[in-house]
């Protein structure tokens, strides 16, 4: 292939060429040529409705609530009120892993559904829901049952909250609560995260004051144990002597949520999905939060140092350094092995609301450059790397979502550090409520695209020919048919973990195999069979 240095302006124009003028105007604001300069890059339009007719990569509000936030909890029965398809297609496909622990209580492998039929739509489904809750209770006697609304439930007006309340009172020893997370609400999964966070906070967080054991107590917010990521992070925490009170929500239990207000620090991994809980825990219980990232070996080391710096104990600081020293040689060896084969290669990442940023770290460690990336549903603050810009307070997707008022709970409010201590930590470089964003972290001239769609994905690959394309299952096969290796960064295909030190090694090896496999050269992409247009992006 003949190397050509593409001008990102041309690429953008090519992507927009096929659209009618009105669509092109809107998409133009969601496709941005990054200037990578502090705030000089124009604003990106994000968290807005997908134009009907466009085949988006996004999911729905129900997916964000039931699938993303509550799905990975292991001892809450997650009961879907709706047609069976909504349950079936969410059944273990996200690959959030579980370990039943000592109590053995875990319902993740089941799919609980009311299996709504036409007659339930016509005559109402509340009775059926009540029976399903009763059946789940009689069979399993769980600590809690969560009920999720799907689109038809909202349309016919079943009152799931009243049913839940009635059953909770009837049982006495089982918390039953419901989520109005109909798929059509909001503009993406993001609305579902918000709805889930609100209800988890209202119904579970802070309900158990029984003192918890352990030193250096943190909560890990926004880590879902995909491919066992959470297990690797917990392994590292344990080695460092850091107590993880609750993960929101990978392999979590009801009791972990209930006692999470006893932690001293919240570590936020995926800001997009869980920032609401971080804010509410801070307001009500005075727990500060810092942003962490365990994707990438360097990022992992940096995050561990951040946690140690917060607690400030020399013993912890030393132990963290020792763990980094012990883990790094294997990481470096794997890096050195792959670098000659991976350096200079290019990647594209289009996933969710945080991984399109986090995974650039891992590619950098392999000498690879991310030439184009974007989120499906992130908000502008995720792109820009700021926590809730004042002018962004009203999210497009919060039009349907109640804002819950949270007041400081003076009786249980426990300032972890004095304001002076927090200020001193900030001055020493520990930033609270802050995180790096995708735009400032990406290089100048890279293309940042919000809510990429089927058509643009194929066009982008055709024009820029990356060495690897990362997205989800809907994109996988159409991209592979273009002769480009495709890695799922949602479910990790069948791989993982990729977090932490061991995860980084797994990732280097897998990507090395993918970008250097000769199998792709046997494919004939449409532009090879009909070569009117040819070129590749070269990284100088
Ligand atoms: S595990 Fe997370 S990391 S929670 Fe979120 S924004 Fe989804 S399910 Mo898919 S892989 Fe993805 Fe992120 Fe946070 Fe996963 S990038 S889209 S809603 N996501
Ligand atoms: C969701 C879940 C998803 C989908 C992944 C994919 C996940 O948004 O409904 O498209 O492959 O990670 O499982 O994001």
């Amino acid at each position: 292939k003949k190397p050509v240095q593409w001008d990102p302006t041309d690429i953008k124009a090519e992507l927009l060429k096929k659209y009618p003028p009105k669509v092109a105007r809107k998409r133009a604001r969601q496709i941005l040529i990054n200037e990578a300069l502090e705030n000089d890059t124009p604003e990106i339009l994000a968290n807005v409705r997908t134009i009907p007719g466009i085949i988006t990569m996004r999911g729905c509000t129900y997916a964000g609530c039931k699938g993303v936030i509550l799905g990975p909890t292991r001892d809450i029965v997650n009961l879907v009120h709706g047609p069976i398809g909504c349950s079936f297609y969410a059944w273990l496909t996200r690959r959030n892993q579980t370990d039943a622990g000592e109590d053995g209580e875990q319902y993740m492998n089941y799919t609980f559904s009311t299996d709504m039929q036409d007659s339930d739509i016509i005559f109402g489904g509340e009775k059926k829901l009540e029976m399903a809750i009763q059946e789940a209770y009689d069979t399993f006697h769980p600590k809690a049952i969560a009920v999720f609304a799907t689109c038809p439930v909202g349309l016919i007006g079943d009152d799931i909250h009243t049913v839940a309340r009635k059953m909770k009172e009837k049982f006495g020893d089982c918390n039953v609560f419901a989520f109005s997370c109909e798929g059509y609400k909001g503009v993406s999964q993001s609305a579902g995260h918000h709805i889930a966070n609100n209800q988890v906070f209202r119904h579970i967080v802070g309900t158990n004051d029984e003192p918890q054991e352990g030193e250096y107590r943190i909560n890990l917010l926004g880590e879902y144990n995909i491919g066992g990521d959470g297990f690797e992070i917990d392994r590292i925490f344990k080695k460092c002597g850091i107590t993880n009170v609750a993960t929101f929500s990978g392999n979590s239990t009801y009791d972990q949520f209930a006692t999470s207000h006893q932690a001293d620090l919240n570590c936020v991994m995926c800001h997009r999905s869980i920032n609401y809980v971080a804010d509410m825990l801070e307001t009500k219980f005075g727990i500060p939060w810092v942003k962490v990232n365990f994707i990438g070996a360097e990022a992992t080391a940096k995050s561990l140092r951040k946690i140690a710096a917060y607690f400030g104990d020399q013993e912890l600081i030393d132990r963290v350094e020792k763990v980094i020293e012990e883990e790094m040689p294997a990481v470096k060896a794997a890096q050195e092995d792959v670098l000659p084969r991976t350096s200079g290669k290019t990647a594209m990442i289009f996933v969710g609301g945080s991984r399109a940023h986090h995974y650039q770290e891992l590619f950098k460690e392999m000498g690879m450059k991310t030439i184009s990336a974007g989120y499906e549903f992130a908000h502008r603050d995720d792109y820009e790397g700021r926590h809730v810009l004042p002018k962004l307070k009203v999210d497009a997707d919060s039009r349907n979502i109640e804002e819950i008022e949270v007041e400081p709970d003076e009786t249980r409010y426990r300032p972890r550090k004095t304001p002076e201590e927090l200020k001193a930590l900030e001055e020493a470089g520990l930033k609270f409520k802050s995180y790096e964003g995708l735009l400032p972290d990406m290089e100048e001239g890279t293309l940042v695209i919000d809510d990429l769609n089927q058509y643009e994905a194929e066009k982008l690959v055709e024009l820029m020919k990356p060495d690897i394309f990362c997205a989800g299952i809907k994109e996988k096969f159409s991209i592979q048919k273009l002769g480009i290796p495709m890695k799922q960064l949602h479910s990790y295909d069948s791989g993982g973990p990729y977090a932490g030190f061991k995860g980084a090694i797994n990732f280097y090896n897998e990507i090395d195999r993918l970008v250097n496999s000769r199998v792709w050269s046997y494919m004939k992409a449409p532009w090879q069979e009909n070569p009117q247009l040819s070129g590749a992006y070269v990284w100088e």
Side-chain angles (χ1 to χ4, degrees):
K1 68 188 175 187
K2 202 165 143 237
V4 177
Q5 175 74 56
W6 282 104
D7 179 345
T9 318
D10 290 346
I11 306 256
K12 180 168 174 175
E14 274 293 322
L15 292 181
L16 296 172
K17 219 160 83 184
K18 219 177 178 163
Y19 290 132
K22 215 173 137 192
V23 177
R25 269 201 303 279
K26 187 168 179 190
R27 283 304 293 154
R29 295 172 63 205
Q30 294 176 278
I31 303 174
L32 187 145
I33 297 157
N34 192 24
E35 299 185 12
L37 304 169
E38 311 262 308
N39 307 327
D40 278 2
T41 298
E43 286 171 9
I44 191 162
L45 184 68
N47 190 30
V48 292
R49 243 158 59 92
T50 304
I51 300 161
I54 282 185
I55 303 178
T56 175
M57 290 178 176
R58 283 173 166 174
C60 68
T61 298
Y62 156 80
C65 180
K66 190 268 173 191
V68 174
I69 309 292
L70 272 299
T73 58
R74 72 169 160 87
D75 65 355
I76 298 174
V77 165
N78 291 321
L79 172 61
V80 176
H81 188 30
I84 195 64
C86 301
S87 288
F88 184 77
Y89 291 109
W91 189 14
L92 300 181
T93 52
R94 188 159 166 253
R95 296 194 67 244
N96 44 272
Q97 297 192 356
T98 185
D99 169 353
E102 280 166 26
D103 57 28
E105 208 178 340
Q106 89 87 0
Y107 306 112
M108 231 180 263
N109 298 6
Y110 295 93
T111 180
F112 297 94
S113 170
T114 53
D115 184 20
M116 266 185 141
Q117 303 296 318
D118 299 6
S119 56
D120 303 315
I121 305 283
I122 296 162
F123 299 108
E126 289 175 14
K127 272 270 160 298
K128 196 168 192 187
L129 174 62
E130 211 177 294
M131 279 161 59
I133 296 172
Q134 184 70 51
E135 194 182 331
Y137 177 79
D138 292 341
T139 316
F140 296 103
H141 291 284
K143 292 192 185 75
I145 299 173
V147 175
F148 302 90
T150 55
C151 295
V153 171
L155 295 174
I156 64 172
D158 273 359
D159 186 352
I160 56 173
H161 300 283
T162 300
V163 176
R165 211 161 29 241
K166 178 177 157 194
M167 299 311 274
K168 179 182 171 170
E169 276 160 26
K170 181 176 174 194
F171 301 148
D173 61 353
C174 174
N175 195 354
V176 189
F177 41 87
F179 298 80
S180 290
C181 57
E182 290 84 351
Y184 58 74
K185 274 194 173 174
V187 302
S188 69
Q189 291 94 316
S190 181
H193 303 150
H194 198 164
I195 291 164
N197 283 211
N198 283 357
Q199 292 295 73
V200 164
F201 195 82
R202 178 184 273 146
H203 292 281
I204 323 176
V205 169
T207 53
N208 186 346
D209 279 323
E210 225 171 275
Q212 299 299 299
E213 290 181 354
E215 267 188 311
Y216 312 121
R217 284 179 298 187
I218 62 146
N219 293 316
L220 181 59
L221 267 52
E223 162 46 54
Y224 301 95
N225 206 22
I226 312 302
D229 276 354
F231 291 152
E232 164 66 0
I233 299 171
D234 278 339
R235 177 189 74 85
I236 300 170
F237 281 159
K238 213 166 165 192
K239 222 171 146 181
C240 294
I242 296 163
T243 309
N244 182 7
V245 179
T247 298
F248 286 70
S249 56
N251 195 41
S252 59
T253 62
Y254 181 84
D255 284 336
Q256 287 170 7
F257 286 165
T259 55
S260 59
H261 63 304
Q262 296 184 39
D264 290 311
L265 179 68
N266 284 325
C267 300
V268 178
M269 172 89 180
C270 168
H271 175 270
R272 179 65 271 134
S273 59
I274 209 85
N275 69 86
Y276 318 94
V277 166
D279 274 346
M280 290 185 281
L281 275 166
E282 178 163 38
T283 309
K284 188 161 180 183
F285 302 106
I287 311 174
W289 66 264
V290 291
K291 178 74 181 72
V292 292
N293 176 22
F294 291 100
I295 302 297
E298 287 302 332
T300 299
K302 193 172 151 196
S303 299
L304 292 172
R305 290 191 174 115
K306 240 184 191 178
I307 297 169
Y310 173 78
F311 289 102
D313 283 0
Q314 200 55 46
E315 202 194 317
L316 178 65
I317 294 170
D318 292 345
R319 206 153 50 212
V320 160
E321 289 307 325
K322 192 162 162 276
V323 170
I324 296 170
E325 211 181 292
E326 273 171 26
E327 299 278 336
M328 274 300 187
V331 173
K332 291 283 174 223
Q335 234 173 45
E336 271 157 37
D337 175 34
V338 301
L339 268 170
R341 294 182 299 273
T342 54
S343 285
K345 300 228 184 254
T346 57
M348 290 183 178
I349 318 177
F350 292 94
V351 278
S354 74
R355 292 189 175 174
H357 179 215
H358 285 161
Y359 273 81
Q360 295 193 26
E361 294 277 340
L362 271 172
F363 281 121
K364 264 186 218 153
E365 290 174 1
M366 307 179 73
M368 291 176 65
K369 172 169 160 166
T370 306
I371 52 175
S372 185
Y375 298 122
E376 286 169 39
F377 53 76
H379 302 200
R380 250 185 62 210
D381 46 348
D382 303 291
Y383 282 104
E384 295 170 9
R386 286 177 268 182
H387 177 64
V388 191
L389 297 164
K391 58 179 167 177
L392 298 177
K393 263 282 184 213
V394 180
D395 298 332
D397 73 11
S398 55
R399 283 174 302 212
N400 290 317
I401 305 164
E402 60 164 341
E403 287 294 337
I404 59 174
E405 285 295 323
V406 177
E407 296 288 333
D409 183 342
E410 299 295 347
T411 56
R412 291 183 298 165
Y413 184 94
R414 176 156 79 88
R416 270 60 189 179
K417 302 248 179 219
T418 63
E420 293 74 37
E421 283 171 326
L422 289 176
K423 201 160 166 253
L425 281 169
E426 283 234 281
E427 278 165 11
L430 183 73
K431 298 237 176 320
F432 294 97
K433 295 197 207 185
S434 118
Y435 65 105
E436 296 91 33
L438 182 132
L439 286 169
D441 272 8
M442 283 184 76
E443 285 184 30
E444 209 176 324
T446 50
L447 276 152
V448 178
I449 309 178
D450 184 64
D451 188 17
L452 188 80
N453 56 55
Q454 172 78 45
Y455 166 72
E456 289 168 14
E458 289 194 17
K459 201 75 195 158
L460 204 61
V461 166
E462 182 185 331
L463 295 171
M464 295 174 85
K465 298 193 179 62
D467 292 298
I468 193 161
F469 189 92
C470 306
I473 191 64
K474 299 194 288 298
E475 294 73 55
K476 181 151 182 101
F477 301 103
S478 69
I479 298 295
Q480 284 184 170
K481 281 177 188 165
L482 303 178
I484 301 287
M486 198 284 179
K487 177 70 195 166
Q488 292 191 66
L489 282 192
H490 294 265
S491 69
Y492 300 164
D493 296 292
S494 52
Y498 298 139
F501 300 112
K502 292 200 171 155
I505 298 171
N506 289 339
F507 194 77
Y508 303 153
N509 291 330
E510 267 188 53
I511 299 299
D512 172 32
R513 275 201 296 273
L514 271 171
V515 297
N516 290 303
S517 165
R518 274 185 300 168
V519 74
W520 308 108
S521 65
Y522 302 130
M523 302 274 310
K524 277 260 177 285
W527 62 78
Q528 289 168 315
E529 287 182 339
N530 182 16
Q532 290 141 335
L533 190 64
S534 177
Y537 187 95
V538 268
W539 175 17
E540 299 289 337

